[in-house]
Amino acid sequence: MTAVTHPRQIVLRSPRERLALKLPLRAVLVLCLLLLALFLTIAVSLATGSYGVALGDVLDTLRGITISRAIDNVVWEFRFARTLAAALVGAMMALSGAALQNATRNGLADPSLVGVSQGAALAVVTLTVVFPDISSSWRPWAAFAGAILVALAVQGLARTRQGGSTIRFILMGIGLSAFISSITSAMMTYGEIDRAMAALAWLAGSINAASWGDVWTLLAWCAVLLPALLAISRTMSALRFGEAAAIGLGAPVKLVRNLQLAVAVALAAIATSVVGPLGFVGLIAPHAAQRLAPAGMAMHLILTAAIGALLVSLADLIGRAAFAPIQIPAGLLTALIGVPLFVALLLRSRATTH
């Protein structure tokens, strides 16, 4: 593989130049900075807590050097799984938002806004409160079923005789998510107190209970869903120019749109089943990636995933360390950041329309 650098792009070529990959230089630099920031956030997160560990000791422990059994336990057993889960969940929620926004061609689409996260949450709360004897290993499947049912319901309700409408999709999603949230609240109110409390901690979007089992689950789904999304990225790029233009270019629009929705729902459902609903990550990350470094769809998805991972990792670190010993769930912090940004996007969208 050889690399050729032009003023604004990097071109990677295979040995016989059968394959070539053109990458915008700005996007590559932004991605490197995001990955560096994510690495530093993870390192600080591993070192910060009630049992303080020096950064150098953290790095040595990660390299397999045993400083002490206490540090080994703190880093490997208690903090590393949680930190990795935060980064993976953030990346998955961000990618879900990017896929939804591209499929609906609406920049306000977000898993938590159109009811996908609420559907997954209702399914998991039902398992926790109504069927507590069922193993927690069924959570991802229940969450996926809840999310896909809500997505299908929103799609069905949003369709008109003239076809789908993106603004109708968003409005139907908001209405249905409010309805589902009310059912979830009713379960929490009238369910047994210990089960309701367990579900309440999960609904706040807390990552403190994440285990290595959760990390392996997230990694396995990422290994399937991320390549699937990247495989259709070329057609997703064509959809940016509109459905008519994409059809004119020979793209299988309907198939790719359905694949996008399926992957978006699966990403949000799996992430929600592990840590609970995390609002606005899927809304913020795609817009941030677009503004930091405009690029092709594949690079845009990678940047979006990196921003989502960094955002949730920072939210978990701040929520855990800023007000210690009180721990604030990451879901509350992402909502605090996301609500003002959502209002700003709505105002900007209205100004553009007028």
Side-chain angles (χ1 to χ4, degrees):
M1 184 74 71
T2 58
V4 180
T5 303
H6 294 278
R8 293 181 181 274
Q9 61 191 20
I10 297 174
V11 181
L12 301 176
R13 301 182 190 278
S14 62
R16 297 185 179 180
E17 299 192 356
R18 292 179 178 177
L19 294 174
L21 184 63
K22 187 187 295 182
L23 301 171
L25 184 58
R26 178 178 172 180
V28 174
L29 292 176
V30 170
L31 178 62
C32 291
L33 291 175
L34 287 172
L35 293 178
L36 177 62
L38 179 61
F39 174 78
L40 292 176
T41 302
I42 290 175
V44 172
S45 183
L46 293 176
T48 305
S50 56
Y51 186 93
V53 182
L55 275 176
D57 292 343
V58 168
L59 295 176
D60 286 341
T61 303
L62 293 180
R63 290 165 52 199
I65 301 173
T66 299
I67 307 298
S68 70
R69 290 190 62 82
I71 292 178
D72 268 6
N73 286 332
V74 166
V75 172
W76 286 111
E77 299 299 328
F78 298 111
R79 293 182 185 166
F80 201 25
R82 172 180 179 158
T83 306
L84 286 181
L88 288 169
V89 163
M92 293 174 77
M93 293 298 290
L95 286 172
S96 176
L100 273 179
Q101 290 175 14
N102 190 269
T104 61
R105 295 188 61 210
N106 192 313
L108 300 180
D110 175 73
S112 63
L113 189 66
V114 299
V116 173
S117 294
Q118 284 80 359
L122 176 60
V124 175
V125 170
T126 302
L127 278 185
T128 306
V129 176
V130 182
F131 304 105
D133 296 331
I134 296 178
S135 170
S136 60
S137 62
W138 285 95
R139 274 186 178 181
W141 301 107
F144 182 76
I148 196 74
L149 286 175
V150 171
L152 290 174
V154 174
Q155 277 282 78
L157 292 170
R159 291 199 69 81
T160 64
R161 292 181 178 178
Q162 290 75 35
S165 165
T166 56
I167 190 64
R168 190 180 171 89
F169 181 89
I170 298 295
L171 293 175
M172 286 295 176
I174 292 173
L176 197 57
S177 64
F179 176 70
I180 294 171
S181 295
S182 66
I183 298 176
T184 306
S185 299
M187 283 190 181
M188 302 288 294
T189 302
Y190 297 107
E192 291 189 13
I193 186 67
D194 55 336
R195 300 173 188 173
M197 290 302 293
L200 183 63
W202 179 83
L203 281 174
S206 178
I207 308 176
N208 59 357
S211 64
W212 279 107
D214 295 325
V215 172
W216 294 125
T217 299
L218 293 169
L219 280 174
W221 281 98
C222 279
V224 174
L225 297 174
L226 180 57
L229 206 55
L230 291 175
I232 59 174
S233 60
R234 288 177 66 87
T235 307
M236 290 171 67
S237 297
L239 281 172
R240 280 179 167 180
F241 300 104
E243 188 173 315
I247 293 174
L249 292 171
V253 173
K254 188 174 181 179
L255 174 63
V256 170
R257 179 180 288 119
N258 290 336
L259 277 174
Q260 281 185 88
L261 289 175
V263 172
V265 168
L267 285 166
I270 301 303
T272 303
S273 70
V274 172
V275 302
L278 288 176
F280 297 100
V281 177
L283 175 68
I284 298 171
H287 287 281
Q290 186 64 30
R291 280 158 179 72
L292 286 174
M297 180 54 70
M299 181 56 85
H300 173 71
L301 291 173
I302 293 172
L303 289 172
T304 299
I307 291 172
L310 178 61
L311 180 63
V312 177
S313 297
L314 277 174
D316 182 52
L317 173 60
I318 294 171
R320 183 162 59 87
F323 304 99
I326 298 173
Q327 295 201 10
I328 300 176
L332 294 181
L333 287 175
T334 58
L336 287 174
I337 298 170
V339 169
L341 183 62
F342 177 62
V343 173
L345 288 172
L346 277 178
L347 294 175
R348 182 174 179 176
S349 175
R350 189 172 64 179
T352 305
T353 303
H354 286 82

